[in-house]
Amino acid sequence: MFWILALFAAAVAVAVGARMNDGYVLLVLPPYRAEVTLNLLLIALALLFLLAYGALRALSFTFGLPERARRFRQRRSRERAGQVFQDAVRLLFEGRFGQALKKAGEAYATGAAPGLSALIAARAAQRLREPEKQQDWMDKAKASDPRTEAATLMLEAEMMNEGRHFAEALQALARLQDKQGRHIAALRLELRARQGVDDWDGVLRLLRQLVKRDALPPQVAREARSQAHLGNIARLAANNGSLIAYLRALPAEERSQRVVLAAARALVVGGAGDEAQKLIEAAFEATHHDEWLGELLTIYGRLADGDQLERIARAEAWLRQYPADARLLKALGRMCRRQRLWGKAQSYLEASLAIAPTQQAHLELAQLFDQLDRGDEANRHYRASALLEAG
């Protein structure tokens, strides 16, 4: 509306000015002489300007046709290259890796995001299990675009992990850290790589960082932490001093039953029965009955050194809380037989058999009756144990 009003106002001003203008222009070119009004001269000059402008524009358009055609072809080529690149990404996510590799190669050849195109081709080649092509495309990705260096290193680490080349994955992640530091995705990749090379201390360090950032599901974090502790226990099993120091420094919330069981077995093998006793008793005091592991009770009942009477008293205290636990009764029977408390041993073992008949309980009773020269009863339990084994 503003421009329309301005145009009308200008037209009115020109009309009024032309009517009030009585000037003229005298043009002399001997022997010729021409006299025209000023208004006509202005109109003629305006028309001449428009004609000259139109002619120049026509010439510019004519001589610029080749350049415009070249830019048009380039634009069409970029559009086609962009479409090919999108097709490569789509095919990769669809799992059609052969076609994705082909399209990514075409996109790379046209120069459409060459670094990313090479990365897509490398991933497709890796999925197709073609390591030579994979490495070739990785090299092209590194050389094509410096901006994709971090993405190249991340993809390289991920592919090395999937190929179980964990040391190479750690090297790629170290280069990434030197360039740009480590983010959560890189920490996850490093966690997998350190699990692969059995670097359990490194795994625990990374787990603490990831849990602090809420970057792992609690179940995954617990399982990975238990696996790391189990690995460290196996590594330290030959050195009792180091193992005991490691277990004493282990936080209570990280003492899962699998960890306690592995630690107790390692301590017993290493001859540190007292430490195994403390570990098992602490685990039992800290957990509920339905979370107990029978192996822990078996280990507890087989501890031969140390104060047996103290262990019997502790186990009998547990029995008052859980009187129907066959495993606890069997452990008590074994400890009482070791202390030559024949009556209590027989009572506990028979109670265990009444709740849950097991081969071990029958064997313990058979050996007890052998010690008491009660051969018939011993043979009866030996036969019952054999029948359970055969079953």
Side-chain angles (χ1 to χ4, degrees):
M1 289 295 294
F2 173 79
W3 285 110
I4 291 174
L5 291 174
L7 182 62
F8 275 108
V12 171
V14 169
V16 171
R19 180 177 299 175
M20 297 177 62
N21 183 14
D22 295 330
Y24 65 91
V25 176
L26 180 63
L27 300 175
V28 178
L29 182 63
Y32 303 102
R33 176 177 181 162
E35 182 178 331
V36 295
T37 63
L38 181 60
N39 291 335
L40 180 59
L41 179 63
L42 293 176
I43 293 173
L45 289 175
L47 291 174
L48 182 61
F49 172 79
L50 291 176
L51 288 173
Y53 178 77
L56 290 175
R57 290 288 296 177
L59 289 173
S60 174
F61 179 80
T62 302
F63 289 110
L65 280 175
E67 178 63 21
R68 279 193 293 276
R70 185 182 64 81
R71 289 200 298 265
F72 174 77
R73 288 193 298 270
Q74 289 178 344
R75 185 170 63 253
R76 290 293 302 273
S77 177
R78 286 195 299 269
E79 290 174 356
R80 286 195 297 269
Q83 185 60 50
V84 171
F85 178 79
Q86 294 178 24
D87 289 341
V89 175
R90 175 177 55 81
L91 291 167
L92 180 68
F93 282 111
E94 288 178 0
R96 298 157 70 179
F97 303 118
Q99 297 182 46
L101 178 59
K102 179 181 177 182
K103 289 291 184 181
E106 293 177 6
Y108 179 84
T110 60
L116 294 178
S117 298
L119 287 178
I120 293 171
R123 167 59 84 183
Q126 188 258 346
R127 294 298 191 190
L128 292 170
R129 301 184 182 278
E130 297 183 8
E132 293 182 0
K133 289 184 179 180
Q134 171 190 336
Q135 188 58 50
D136 180 56
W137 282 112
M138 289 296 293
D139 294 338
K140 290 179 180 177
K142 294 175 184 177
S144 296
D145 189 350
R147 295 174 299 175
T148 63
E149 183 177 10
T152 302
L153 291 172
M154 282 289 293
L155 181 59
E156 182 179 357
E158 184 178 350
M159 291 192 298
M160 290 300 104
N161 274 346
E162 292 178 0
R164 305 188 68 80
H165 303 299
F166 301 113
E168 289 84 346
L170 289 174
Q171 292 173 5
L173 291 169
R175 294 197 299 273
L176 176 65
Q177 183 178 5
D178 293 339
K179 298 291 184 181
Q180 297 187 0
R182 291 182 298 179
H183 46 76
I184 290 178
L187 290 176
R188 288 199 186 105
L189 289 176
E190 185 178 354
L191 176 66
R192 178 68 188 95
R194 295 203 179 276
Q195 287 175 325
V197 297
D198 295 342
D199 180 9
W200 303 117
D201 290 331
V203 168
L204 291 170
R205 183 180 66 255
L206 289 169
L207 280 172
R208 295 186 184 100
Q209 296 180 41
L210 289 169
V211 169
K212 185 178 180 181
R213 301 184 186 185
D214 196 23
L216 283 179
Q219 300 87 344
V220 174
R222 283 196 297 269
E223 177 62 27
R225 188 181 292 115
S226 295
Q227 183 187 24
H229 287 312
L230 291 173
N232 275 334
I233 289 170
R235 178 173 57 86
L236 299 172
N239 188 330
N240 264 357
S242 299
L243 178 59
I244 291 171
Y246 180 82
L247 294 173
R248 288 178 178 175
L250 191 63
E253 63 273 12
E254 297 184 11
R255 296 189 177 193
S256 67
Q257 290 195 344
R258 291 169 58 200
V259 172
V260 172
L261 177 60
R265 286 172 174 168
L267 289 170
V268 170
V269 172
D274 290 340
E275 290 294 330
Q277 174 185 344
K278 295 175 185 177
L279 186 68
I280 294 172
E281 289 173 353
F284 284 170
E285 296 294 340
T287 58
H288 299 293
H289 177 257
D290 58 357
E291 296 177 357
W292 285 13
L293 291 178
E295 291 85 349
L296 287 178
L297 284 171
T298 301
I299 293 172
Y300 194 76
R302 288 177 176 171
L303 294 175
D305 54 351
D307 191 342
Q308 292 288 325
L309 294 177
E310 179 185 350
R311 292 189 191 125
I312 291 173
R314 178 66 66 92
E316 287 177 338
W318 294 337
L319 187 63
R320 286 192 290 272
Q321 294 179 341
Y322 313 108
D325 192 301
R327 296 166 298 181
L328 181 55
L329 288 165
K330 182 173 59 179
L332 271 168
R334 183 178 286 119
M335 289 187 289
C336 288
R337 185 172 73 84
R338 191 180 296 115
Q339 287 299 108
R340 297 180 178 275
L341 301 173
W342 311 120
K344 294 180 72 173
Q346 179 180 350
S347 175
Y348 284 136
L349 291 171
E350 288 176 346
S352 176
L353 284 172
I355 296 171
T358 62
Q359 181 187 15
Q360 290 182 349
H362 279 296
L363 283 174
E364 288 289 339
L365 262 178
Q367 292 169 2
L368 171 64
F369 288 136
D370 271 341
Q371 288 178 291
L372 297 177
D373 293 329
R374 294 161 61 176
D376 291 340
E377 293 174 274
N379 290 334
R380 179 164 58 85
H381 283 287
Y382 278 129
R383 286 194 297 271
S385 172
L387 288 174
L388 285 174
E389 182 179 12

